[in-house]
Amino acid sequence: MLRVYKFGGASIQDANAIRHMGELLAEKAPRPSAMVASAMGKTTNALEALLQAARQDDETLYRRRLAAICDDHLAVAEALFGPESAVADELKQRLAELDNAHHAHRDTPFPFHYDQTVGIGELLSTTLVAAWLNEIGVATRWCDARELIITDDRHQAANIDWVATRERIASLAQANDEVLLTQGFIGATADGVMTTLGREGSDFSAAILAEALDADELTIWKDVPGLFNADPRRFTNARQIARLSFAEALEQTWHGAKVIHPRTLAPLQRRGIPLTVRSFLEPEAAPSIIGPELGEGDTLPACMLRDDQLLLEVSPRDGSFVDEALMAEVLTRFAEAGLHANLIDVEALRLRLAVNHQPERLSPALEALEEHFSVARQEDLVLLTVRHADDALLDALEGGRTRVAEQRNATTAQRLYRAAECPDSWRLPE
Ligand code: ASP
Ligand code: MG
Protein backbone atom coordinates (compact mmCIF):
# COMPACT_ATOMS: atom_id res chain seq x y z
CA MET A 1 0.00 0.00 0.00
CA LEU A 2 1.62 3.24 -1.10
CA ARG A 3 0.59 6.06 1.23
CA VAL A 4 1.38 9.76 1.06
CA TYR A 5 0.90 11.99 4.12
CA LYS A 6 0.70 15.73 4.43
CA PHE A 7 1.31 17.60 7.68
CA GLY A 8 0.26 21.24 7.91
CA GLY A 9 1.88 24.04 9.88
CA ALA A 10 -0.20 23.49 13.03
CA SER A 11 0.93 19.87 13.33
CA ILE A 12 4.60 20.93 13.56
CA GLN A 13 4.26 24.35 15.17
CA ASP A 14 6.73 23.76 18.01
CA ALA A 15 8.94 21.10 19.57
CA ASN A 16 6.05 19.37 21.33
CA ALA A 17 4.00 19.25 18.16
CA ILE A 18 6.94 17.70 16.29
CA ARG A 19 7.35 15.13 19.07
CA HIS A 20 3.66 14.33 18.85
CA MET A 21 3.90 13.95 15.07
CA GLY A 22 6.89 11.64 15.53
CA GLU A 23 4.90 9.46 17.93
CA LEU A 24 2.04 9.31 15.50
CA LEU A 25 4.34 8.02 12.76
CA ALA A 26 6.31 5.70 15.01
CA GLU A 27 3.37 4.08 16.78
CA LYS A 28 -0.10 5.04 15.69
CA ALA A 29 -0.36 5.37 11.93
CA PRO A 30 0.78 3.06 9.13
CA ARG A 31 4.15 4.14 7.75
CA PRO A 32 3.82 6.26 4.59
CA SER A 33 6.14 6.07 1.58
CA ALA A 34 6.32 9.82 1.22
CA MET A 35 5.39 12.90 3.22
CA VAL A 36 4.96 16.60 2.60
CA ALA A 37 5.21 19.20 5.36
CA SER A 38 4.32 22.89 5.52
CA ALA A 39 6.28 25.58 7.27
CA MET A 40 6.10 25.57 11.10
CA GLY A 41 3.04 27.31 12.58
CA LYS A 42 2.75 30.86 11.32
CA THR A 43 6.20 31.01 9.72
CA THR A 44 4.84 31.80 6.25
CA ASN A 45 3.10 34.91 7.59
CA ALA A 46 6.29 35.89 9.40
CA LEU A 47 8.29 35.52 6.18
CA GLU A 48 5.77 37.64 4.31
CA ALA A 49 6.22 40.33 6.95
CA LEU A 50 10.01 40.00 6.64
CA LEU A 51 9.75 40.49 2.90
CA GLN A 52 7.62 43.57 3.42
CA ALA A 53 10.28 45.09 5.66
CA ALA A 54 12.97 44.25 3.08
CA ARG A 55 11.00 45.81 0.23
CA GLN A 56 10.41 48.96 2.29
CA ASP A 57 14.12 49.16 3.05
CA ASP A 58 13.33 49.20 6.75
CA GLU A 59 16.56 47.68 7.99
CA THR A 60 15.66 47.78 11.70
CA LEU A 61 12.34 46.06 11.21
CA TYR A 62 13.88 43.59 8.79
CA ARG A 63 16.60 42.64 11.32
CA ARG A 64 14.07 42.27 14.10
CA ARG A 65 11.79 40.05 12.03
CA LEU A 66 14.65 37.90 10.75
CA ALA A 67 15.92 37.44 14.30
CA ALA A 68 12.45 36.34 15.45
CA ILE A 69 12.19 33.70 12.70
CA CYS A 70 15.70 32.53 13.49
CA ASP A 71 14.99 32.35 17.25
CA ASP A 72 11.75 30.40 16.73
CA HIS A 73 13.49 27.72 14.72
CA LEU A 74 16.61 27.54 16.87
CA ALA A 75 14.45 27.20 19.99
CA VAL A 76 12.81 24.13 18.46
CA ALA A 77 16.20 22.72 17.45
CA GLU A 78 17.46 23.25 20.99
CA ALA A 79 14.41 21.65 22.59
CA LEU A 80 14.72 18.62 20.34
CA PHE A 81 18.47 18.19 19.94
CA GLY A 82 20.10 20.13 22.77
CA PRO A 83 22.07 23.40 22.83
CA GLU A 84 24.39 22.68 19.91
CA SER A 85 23.46 20.49 17.00
CA ALA A 86 24.15 19.92 13.34
CA VAL A 87 20.49 20.77 12.72
CA ALA A 88 20.90 24.20 14.34
CA ASP A 89 23.94 24.84 12.14
CA GLU A 90 22.00 23.87 9.06
CA LEU A 91 19.13 26.21 9.98
CA LYS A 92 21.56 29.07 10.59
CA GLN A 93 23.21 28.39 7.27
CA ARG A 94 19.86 28.56 5.39
CA LEU A 95 18.88 31.79 7.13
CA ALA A 96 22.26 33.33 6.41
CA GLU A 97 21.82 32.49 2.73
CA LEU A 98 18.39 34.13 2.79
CA ASP A 99 19.84 37.22 4.43
CA ASN A 100 22.67 37.48 1.89
CA ALA A 101 20.30 37.07 -1.02
CA HIS A 102 18.01 39.86 0.15
CA HIS A 103 20.37 42.55 -0.97
CA ALA A 104 20.70 40.97 -4.39
CA HIS A 105 16.92 40.63 -4.73
CA ARG A 106 15.92 44.06 -3.54
CA ASP A 107 15.29 45.46 -7.01
CA THR A 108 13.79 42.34 -8.57
CA PRO A 109 10.04 42.06 -9.25
CA PHE A 110 8.00 41.42 -6.12
CA PRO A 111 6.67 37.93 -7.03
CA PHE A 112 10.20 36.65 -7.69
CA HIS A 113 11.53 38.12 -4.45
CA TYR A 114 8.50 36.69 -2.63
CA ASP A 115 9.26 33.14 -3.73
CA GLN A 116 12.96 33.36 -2.86
CA THR A 117 12.05 34.57 0.63
CA VAL A 118 8.79 32.97 1.65
CA GLY A 119 9.60 29.53 0.24
CA ILE A 120 12.32 29.06 2.82
CA GLY A 121 9.83 28.28 5.62
CA GLU A 122 9.32 24.75 4.35
CA LEU A 123 13.06 24.17 3.91
CA LEU A 124 13.55 25.07 7.58
CA SER A 125 10.64 23.02 8.94
CA THR A 126 11.47 19.87 7.00
CA THR A 127 15.11 20.07 8.09
CA LEU A 128 13.91 19.90 11.70
CA VAL A 129 11.29 17.24 11.09
CA ALA A 130 13.58 14.92 9.08
CA ALA A 131 16.25 15.09 11.77
CA TRP A 132 13.73 14.39 14.53
CA LEU A 133 12.16 11.43 12.75
CA ASN A 134 15.60 9.89 12.20
CA GLU A 135 16.41 10.56 15.84
CA ILE A 136 13.41 8.54 17.01
CA GLY A 137 14.03 5.71 14.56
CA VAL A 138 11.63 6.56 11.74
CA ALA A 139 14.13 6.35 8.88
CA THR A 140 13.53 9.45 6.79
CA ARG A 141 15.15 10.82 3.68
CA TRP A 142 14.98 14.59 3.21
CA CYS A 143 14.30 15.52 -0.42
CA ASP A 144 14.50 18.97 -1.92
CA ALA A 145 11.15 19.81 -3.54
CA ARG A 146 12.99 22.13 -5.91
CA GLU A 147 14.38 19.03 -7.55
CA LEU A 148 11.01 17.26 -7.65
CA ILE A 149 8.28 19.78 -8.44
CA ILE A 150 9.14 21.45 -11.72
CA THR A 151 7.14 24.55 -12.65
CA ASP A 152 7.04 27.49 -14.99
CA ASP A 153 8.24 30.87 -13.76
CA ARG A 154 4.87 32.32 -12.79
CA HIS A 155 6.08 33.29 -9.35
CA GLN A 156 3.64 33.05 -6.41
CA ALA A 157 1.25 30.87 -8.45
CA ALA A 158 3.47 28.57 -10.48
CA ASN A 159 2.05 26.04 -12.95
CA ILE A 160 3.29 22.47 -12.77
CA ASP A 161 5.26 20.92 -15.61
CA TRP A 162 3.65 17.52 -15.15
CA VAL A 163 5.90 15.58 -17.49
CA ALA A 164 9.12 16.82 -15.91
CA THR A 165 7.69 16.50 -12.39
CA ARG A 166 6.56 12.90 -12.91
CA GLU A 167 9.98 12.02 -14.30
CA ARG A 168 11.79 13.56 -11.33
CA ILE A 169 9.53 11.92 -8.77
CA ALA A 170 9.71 8.54 -10.49
CA SER A 171 13.48 8.68 -10.29
CA LEU A 172 13.10 8.81 -6.50
CA ALA A 173 11.46 5.42 -6.27
CA GLN A 174 13.48 3.32 -3.91
CA ALA A 175 13.70 -0.16 -2.57
CA ASN A 176 14.31 0.44 1.16
CA ASP A 177 11.62 1.53 3.57
CA GLU A 178 12.77 5.06 4.29
CA VAL A 179 10.07 7.69 4.33
CA LEU A 180 10.69 10.41 1.76
CA LEU A 181 10.07 13.83 3.28
CA THR A 182 9.78 16.87 1.10
CA GLN A 183 8.52 20.45 1.33
CA GLY A 184 5.03 21.56 0.48
CA PHE A 185 4.32 24.86 -1.27
CA ILE A 186 7.61 25.14 -3.20
CA GLY A 187 9.02 23.97 -6.50
CA ALA A 188 11.51 25.30 -9.00
CA THR A 189 11.79 26.12 -12.67
CA ALA A 190 13.75 23.76 -14.91
CA ASP A 191 16.73 26.08 -14.24
CA GLY A 192 16.37 25.57 -10.49
CA VAL A 193 14.90 28.96 -9.54
CA MET A 194 12.60 28.56 -6.52
CA THR A 195 8.87 29.10 -7.13
CA THR A 196 5.78 28.78 -4.93
CA LEU A 197 2.36 27.33 -5.67
CA GLY A 198 0.19 29.87 -3.83
CA ARG A 199 -0.73 30.22 -0.14
CA GLU A 200 -1.87 27.00 1.50
CA GLY A 201 -0.33 25.17 -1.45
CA SER A 202 1.15 22.27 0.53
CA ASP A 203 -2.01 20.20 0.07
CA PHE A 204 -1.51 20.60 -3.66
CA SER A 205 2.15 19.52 -3.36
CA ALA A 206 1.04 16.37 -1.57
CA ALA A 207 -1.49 15.63 -4.32
CA ILE A 208 1.19 16.12 -6.98
CA LEU A 209 3.44 13.66 -5.18
CA ALA A 210 0.61 11.16 -4.74
CA GLU A 211 -0.29 11.44 -8.41
CA ALA A 212 3.27 11.02 -9.63
CA LEU A 213 3.88 8.04 -7.34
CA ASP A 214 0.48 6.57 -8.29
CA ALA A 215 -0.24 6.28 -4.57
CA ASP A 216 -3.08 4.23 -3.13
CA GLU A 217 -4.13 7.05 -0.81
CA LEU A 218 -3.29 10.52 0.39
CA THR A 219 -3.92 11.49 4.01
CA ILE A 220 -3.96 15.12 5.09
CA TRP A 221 -3.44 15.37 8.88
CA LYS A 222 -5.19 18.38 10.34
CA ASP A 223 -6.26 19.82 13.67
CA VAL A 224 -9.88 19.01 12.80
CA PRO A 225 -11.19 15.46 12.36
CA GLY A 226 -12.30 15.95 8.76
CA LEU A 227 -14.51 17.90 6.41
CA PHE A 228 -17.71 19.52 7.61
CA ASN A 229 -20.85 20.62 5.81
CA ALA A 230 -20.13 24.18 7.02
CA ASP A 231 -17.22 25.90 8.74
CA PRO A 232 -17.55 24.78 12.40
CA ARG A 233 -16.10 28.11 13.53
CA ARG A 234 -19.05 29.92 11.92
CA PHE A 235 -21.91 27.41 12.18
CA THR A 236 -22.73 26.13 15.64
CA ASN A 237 -24.20 22.86 14.33
CA ALA A 238 -21.87 21.98 11.43
CA ARG A 239 -21.68 18.20 10.84
CA GLN A 240 -18.71 16.14 9.80
CA ILE A 241 -19.09 14.49 6.40
CA ALA A 242 -17.95 10.84 6.29
CA ARG A 243 -17.66 10.60 2.50
CA LEU A 244 -18.10 12.74 -0.55
CA SER A 245 -17.15 12.57 -4.20
CA PHE A 246 -14.30 14.47 -5.85
CA ALA A 247 -16.86 16.37 -7.92
CA GLU A 248 -18.76 17.57 -4.85
CA ALA A 249 -15.58 18.45 -2.92
CA LEU A 250 -14.41 20.43 -5.93
CA GLU A 251 -17.64 22.44 -5.99
CA GLN A 252 -17.47 23.12 -2.26
CA THR A 253 -13.84 24.27 -2.29
CA TRP A 254 -14.54 26.40 -5.38
CA HIS A 255 -17.34 28.11 -3.47
CA GLY A 256 -15.07 28.81 -0.52
CA ALA A 257 -14.97 25.72 1.72
CA LYS A 258 -11.60 26.09 3.38
CA VAL A 259 -10.33 22.76 4.64
CA ILE A 260 -8.39 21.79 1.53
CA HIS A 261 -6.72 23.78 -1.19
CA PRO A 262 -8.94 23.67 -4.33
CA ARG A 263 -6.09 22.67 -6.68
CA THR A 264 -5.49 19.53 -4.59
CA LEU A 265 -8.35 17.53 -5.99
CA ALA A 266 -7.73 17.40 -9.76
CA PRO A 267 -4.50 15.33 -9.66
CA LEU A 268 -6.09 12.84 -7.27
CA GLN A 269 -9.27 12.60 -9.29
CA ARG A 270 -7.23 11.88 -12.43
CA ARG A 271 -5.93 8.69 -10.88
CA GLY A 272 -8.81 7.91 -8.53
CA ILE A 273 -6.59 8.29 -5.44
CA PRO A 274 -8.81 8.77 -2.36
CA LEU A 275 -8.06 11.68 -0.04
CA THR A 276 -8.51 11.11 3.68
CA VAL A 277 -8.68 14.08 6.05
CA ARG A 278 -7.85 13.04 9.60
CA SER A 279 -7.02 14.65 12.95
CA PHE A 280 -3.45 14.45 14.23
CA LEU A 281 -4.89 15.29 17.66
CA GLU A 282 -7.33 12.37 17.61
CA PRO A 283 -5.90 9.88 15.10
CA GLU A 284 -8.46 7.23 16.08
CA ALA A 285 -11.44 9.46 15.26
CA ALA A 286 -13.40 8.65 12.11
CA PRO A 287 -11.98 10.67 9.19
CA SER A 288 -13.58 12.17 6.10
CA ILE A 289 -12.86 10.54 2.75
CA ILE A 290 -13.10 12.15 -0.66
CA GLY A 291 -13.07 9.64 -3.48
CA PRO A 292 -14.47 8.67 -6.87
CA GLU A 293 -17.76 7.35 -5.41
CA LEU A 294 -20.72 9.36 -4.18
CA GLY A 295 -21.16 9.70 -0.42
CA GLU A 296 -23.49 11.36 2.07
CA GLY A 297 -21.78 14.71 1.36
CA ASP A 298 -23.14 14.61 -2.18
CA THR A 299 -26.69 15.24 -0.98
CA LEU A 300 -26.31 16.80 2.47
CA PRO A 301 -26.92 20.58 2.48
CA ALA A 302 -23.56 22.37 2.78
CA CYS A 303 -22.91 26.06 3.44
CA MET A 304 -19.99 28.22 2.46
CA LEU A 305 -19.47 31.85 3.51
CA ARG A 306 -17.35 34.47 1.80
CA ASP A 307 -16.81 37.64 3.80
CA ASP A 308 -15.86 41.12 2.65
CA GLN A 309 -17.65 40.97 -0.67
CA LEU A 310 -18.22 43.87 -2.99
CA LEU A 311 -21.16 43.96 -5.40
CA LEU A 312 -20.51 45.78 -8.65
CA GLU A 313 -23.36 46.74 -10.92
CA VAL A 314 -21.99 47.43 -14.38
CA SER A 315 -24.20 49.17 -16.97
CA PRO A 316 -23.31 50.23 -20.53
CA ARG A 317 -23.21 54.04 -20.61
CA ASP A 318 -25.04 54.25 -23.93
CA GLY A 319 -27.98 52.19 -22.66
CA SER A 320 -27.32 49.22 -24.94
CA PHE A 321 -28.13 45.64 -23.92
CA VAL A 322 -25.61 43.59 -22.02
CA ASP A 323 -24.91 41.25 -24.93
CA GLU A 324 -22.13 38.71 -25.26
CA ALA A 325 -19.62 41.23 -26.58
CA LEU A 326 -20.16 43.60 -23.64
CA MET A 327 -20.08 40.75 -21.14
CA ALA A 328 -16.82 39.55 -22.65
CA GLU A 329 -15.36 43.04 -22.36
CA VAL A 330 -16.24 43.30 -18.67
CA LEU A 331 -15.04 39.82 -17.78
CA THR A 332 -11.80 40.29 -19.72
CA ARG A 333 -10.97 43.35 -17.60
CA PHE A 334 -11.65 41.31 -14.48
CA ALA A 335 -9.49 38.45 -15.69
CA GLU A 336 -6.63 40.83 -16.53
CA ALA A 337 -6.81 42.28 -13.03
CA GLY A 338 -6.79 38.79 -11.47
CA LEU A 339 -10.29 39.24 -10.05
CA HIS A 340 -12.63 36.31 -9.65
CA ALA A 341 -16.39 36.85 -9.75
CA ASN A 342 -17.94 34.80 -6.97
CA LEU A 343 -21.43 35.52 -8.27
CA ILE A 344 -22.56 36.69 -11.72
CA ASP A 345 -26.07 37.85 -12.52
CA VAL A 346 -27.10 39.29 -15.91
CA GLU A 347 -30.11 41.38 -16.86
CA ALA A 348 -30.89 43.36 -20.01
CA LEU A 349 -29.17 46.57 -18.97
CA ARG A 350 -26.77 45.56 -16.25
CA LEU A 351 -24.32 42.93 -15.15
CA ARG A 352 -23.83 42.33 -11.44
CA LEU A 353 -20.72 40.73 -10.03
CA ALA A 354 -19.69 39.95 -6.48
CA VAL A 355 -15.94 39.95 -5.89
CA ASN A 356 -13.59 39.79 -2.93
CA HIS A 357 -12.81 43.32 -1.85
CA GLN A 358 -9.25 43.77 -3.12
CA PRO A 359 -8.76 47.48 -3.89
CA GLU A 360 -5.35 47.03 -5.53
CA ARG A 361 -6.84 44.66 -8.14
CA LEU A 362 -10.14 46.43 -8.47
CA SER A 363 -8.88 49.91 -9.32
CA PRO A 364 -7.18 48.96 -12.61
CA ALA A 365 -10.22 46.92 -13.71
CA LEU A 366 -12.65 49.75 -12.95
CA GLU A 367 -10.45 52.30 -14.66
CA ALA A 368 -10.34 50.20 -17.80
CA LEU A 369 -14.14 49.88 -17.80
CA GLU A 370 -14.87 53.52 -17.19
CA GLU A 371 -15.08 54.61 -20.83
CA HIS A 372 -18.00 52.33 -21.78
CA PHE A 373 -19.65 51.50 -18.47
CA SER A 374 -20.92 53.11 -15.35
CA VAL A 375 -20.28 51.09 -12.22
CA ALA A 376 -22.22 51.27 -8.96
CA ARG A 377 -20.84 49.49 -5.90
CA GLN A 378 -22.03 48.16 -2.58
CA GLU A 379 -19.54 47.15 0.09
CA ASP A 380 -19.50 45.11 3.30
CA LEU A 381 -21.45 42.15 2.02
CA VAL A 382 -21.39 38.45 2.85
CA LEU A 383 -21.94 35.78 0.23
CA LEU A 384 -23.69 32.65 1.44
CA THR A 385 -23.49 29.67 -0.93
CA VAL A 386 -25.60 26.62 -0.14
CA ARG A 387 -25.42 23.29 -1.96
CA HIS A 388 -28.34 20.84 -2.06
CA ALA A 389 -30.82 23.12 -0.30
CA ASP A 390 -34.55 23.50 -0.78
CA ASP A 391 -36.51 26.74 -0.44
CA ALA A 392 -37.51 26.03 3.14
CA LEU A 393 -33.90 25.62 4.23
CA LEU A 394 -32.75 28.72 2.34
CA ASP A 395 -35.51 30.81 3.86
CA ALA A 396 -34.82 29.52 7.34
CA LEU A 397 -31.14 30.41 6.90
CA GLU A 398 -32.11 33.84 5.63
CA GLY A 399 -34.26 34.59 8.64
CA GLY A 400 -35.94 37.63 7.07
CA ARG A 401 -32.67 39.42 6.20
CA THR A 402 -32.60 41.61 3.06
CA ARG A 403 -31.26 39.75 0.04
CA VAL A 404 -28.97 42.08 -1.91
CA ALA A 405 -28.44 39.69 -4.84
CA GLU A 406 -29.13 36.07 -5.70
CA GLN A 407 -28.03 33.41 -8.15
CA ARG A 408 -29.28 29.86 -8.30
CA ASN A 409 -29.07 26.64 -10.29
CA ALA A 410 -30.28 23.10 -9.67
CA THR A 411 -27.72 22.32 -6.96
CA THR A 412 -26.32 25.65 -5.76
CA ALA A 413 -27.96 28.75 -4.31
CA GLN A 414 -26.01 31.93 -3.65
CA ARG A 415 -27.33 34.84 -1.67
CA LEU A 416 -25.64 38.08 -0.83
CA TYR A 417 -26.43 39.85 2.44
CA ARG A 418 -25.26 42.96 4.26
CA ALA A 419 -22.59 41.98 6.76
CA ALA A 420 -24.19 44.19 9.39
CA GLU A 421 -27.35 42.06 9.21
CA CYS A 422 -25.53 38.71 9.46
CA PRO A 423 -25.15 36.84 12.75
CA ASP A 424 -21.74 36.14 14.31
CA SER A 425 -22.65 32.53 14.55
CA TRP A 426 -24.93 30.80 12.09
CA ARG A 427 -27.14 27.73 12.46
CA LEU A 428 -28.11 25.23 9.83
CA PRO A 429 -31.84 24.50 10.09
CA GLU A 430 -32.24 20.89 11.31
N1 ASP B 1 3.25 27.39 4.32
C1 ASP B 1 2.38 27.75 3.24
C2 ASP B 1 1.27 28.65 3.74
O1 ASP B 1 1.16 28.83 4.94
C3 ASP B 1 1.82 26.60 2.50
C4 ASP B 1 0.89 25.72 3.31
O2 ASP B 1 0.91 25.74 4.53
O3 ASP B 1 0.12 24.99 2.72
O4 ASP B 1 0.52 29.17 2.95
MG1 MG C 1 -0.71 25.92 6.35
Side-chain angles (χ1 to χ4, degrees):
M1 181 94 161
L2 204 161
R3 295 184 179 83
V4 176
Y5 285 174
K6 183 256 170 172
F7 285 91
S11 64
I12 51 168
Q13 64 185 351
D14 53 26
N16 276 340
I18 294 174
R19 284 197 186 96
H20 177 89
M21 178 231 196
E23 257 171 53
L24 183 77
L25 284 168
E27 293 160 23
K28 298 191 181 133
R31 205 60 65 86
S33 305
M35 285 194 328
V36 167
S38 302
M40 266 172 45
K42 301 270 176 255
T43 304
T44 307
N45 293 347
L47 286 163
E48 285 184 349
L50 177 74
L51 175 68
Q52 199 188 23
R55 296 295 285 191
Q56 290 164 351
D57 266 337
D58 188 335
E59 187 66 19
T60 316
L61 192 59
Y62 169 81
R63 288 281 146 223
R64 196 184 323 137
R65 289 181 173 167
L66 183 64
I69 293 167
C70 195
D71 290 350
D72 276 357
H73 287 81
L74 291 178
V76 175
E78 181 166 346
L80 295 175
F81 307 104
E84 268 162 45
S85 63
V87 179
D89 293 341
E90 203 177 322
L91 296 173
K92 281 187 213 154
Q93 172 74 23
R94 285 196 191 284
L95 285 159
E97 279 164 24
L98 173 73
D99 189 21
N100 292 336
H102 262 311
H103 299 282
H105 292 151
R106 195 151 45 205
D107 297 322
T108 60
F110 179 87
F112 169 84
H113 194 178
Y114 180 99
D115 285 358
Q116 309 321 305
T117 307
V118 178
I120 197 168
E122 273 70 7
L123 292 167
L124 298 172
S125 68
T126 52
T127 300
L128 281 160
V129 170
W132 179 249
L133 293 177
N134 281 314
E135 177 91 9
I136 61 165
V138 178
T140 302
R141 181 165 137 218
W142 186 91
C143 301
D144 192 329
R146 293 169 297 182
E147 287 164 17
L148 301 179
I149 310 282
I150 308 302
T151 72
D152 65 4
D153 63 357
R154 194 164 141 229
H155 287 287
Q156 286 192 275
N159 296 301
I160 307 301
D161 176 340
W162 287 97
V163 174
T165 298
R166 284 194 197 106
E167 239 168 57
R168 297 286 185 97
I169 293 175
S171 73
L172 267 181
Q174 54 180 12
N176 65 27
D177 58 2
E178 278 180 324
V179 179
L180 300 174
L181 171 63
T182 193
Q183 303 79 43
F185 183 54
I186 66 171
T189 63
D191 302 332
V193 177
M194 176 142 65
T195 53
T196 66
L197 310 179
R199 284 302 307 262
E200 304 300 329
S202 296
D203 291 351
F204 183 39
S205 304
I208 296 167
L209 203 67
E211 198 257 25
L213 291 168
D214 198 10
D216 296 298
E217 62 168 50
L218 168 62
T219 299
I220 297 187
W221 295 91
K222 302 199 63 101
D223 51 5
V224 289
L227 303 167
F228 287 76
N229 68 336
D231 183 345
R233 288 166 302 187
R234 309 287 298 274
F235 284 77
T236 49
N237 57 344
R239 259 185 59 189
Q240 192 183 337
I241 304 171
R243 275 186 180 271
L244 78 167
S245 68
F246 284 122
E248 179 62 29
L250 225 117
E251 288 296 332
Q252 294 190 12
T253 53
W254 160 264
H255 284 297
K258 292 201 183 70
V259 185
I260 37 176
H261 190 283
R263 284 169 91 187
T264 310
L265 296 164
L268 301 175
Q269 189 171 19
R270 259 201 303 273
R271 292 221 189 205
I273 303 169
L275 168 62
T276 302
V277 179
R278 210 178 252 294
S279 163
F280 62 81
L281 300 169
E282 296 174 84
E284 300 82 20
S288 296
I289 300 171
I290 304 172
E293 313 84 21
L294 298 180
E296 58 159 351
D298 288 78
T299 49
L300 192 68
C303 296
M304 282 69 66
L305 288 172
R306 285 190 191 276
D307 295 314
D308 206 10
Q309 298 295 293
L310 183 68
L311 181 69
L312 300 167
E313 194 163 300
V314 184
S315 327
R317 283 194 190 278
D318 62 3
S320 52
F321 290 139
V322 179
D323 61 10
E324 284 66 18
L326 287 186
M327 253 190 288
E329 185 178 340
V330 174
L331 293 177
T332 303
R333 297 295 162 252
F334 274 65
E336 285 166 355
L339 284 166
H340 169 66
N342 297 317
L343 174 151
I344 301 182
D345 167 29
V346 197
E347 280 186 356
L349 300 177
R350 57 146 188 77
L351 177 64
R352 302 168 97 196
L353 305 137
V355 295
N356 298 344
H357 195 173
Q358 296 169 288
E360 57 313 331
R361 297 202 167 167
L362 211 57
S363 309
L366 296 185
E367 246 163 60
L369 287 174
E370 202 160 306
E371 193 186 341
H372 297 148
F373 300 90
S374 66
V375 182
R377 51 196 280 172
Q378 266 193 79
E379 298 182 6
D380 298 323
L381 303 170
V382 172
L383 178 62
L384 170 71
T385 301
V386 192
R387 300 267 300 155
H388 315 297
D390 56 18
D391 290 336
L393 185 128
L394 290 171
D395 291 345
L397 268 169
E398 186 160 275
R401 219 170 290 123
T402 322
R403 209 177 302 159
V404 178
E406 174 170 27
Q407 185 54 248
R408 194 161 174 189
N409 65 30
T411 46
T412 308
Q414 296 187 288
R415 292 178 170 185
L416 203 57
Y417 299 112
R418 289 192 192 91
E421 292 178 32
C422 290
D424 287 337
S425 91
W426 296 69
R427 263 194 89 72
L428 267 153
E430 309 279 339

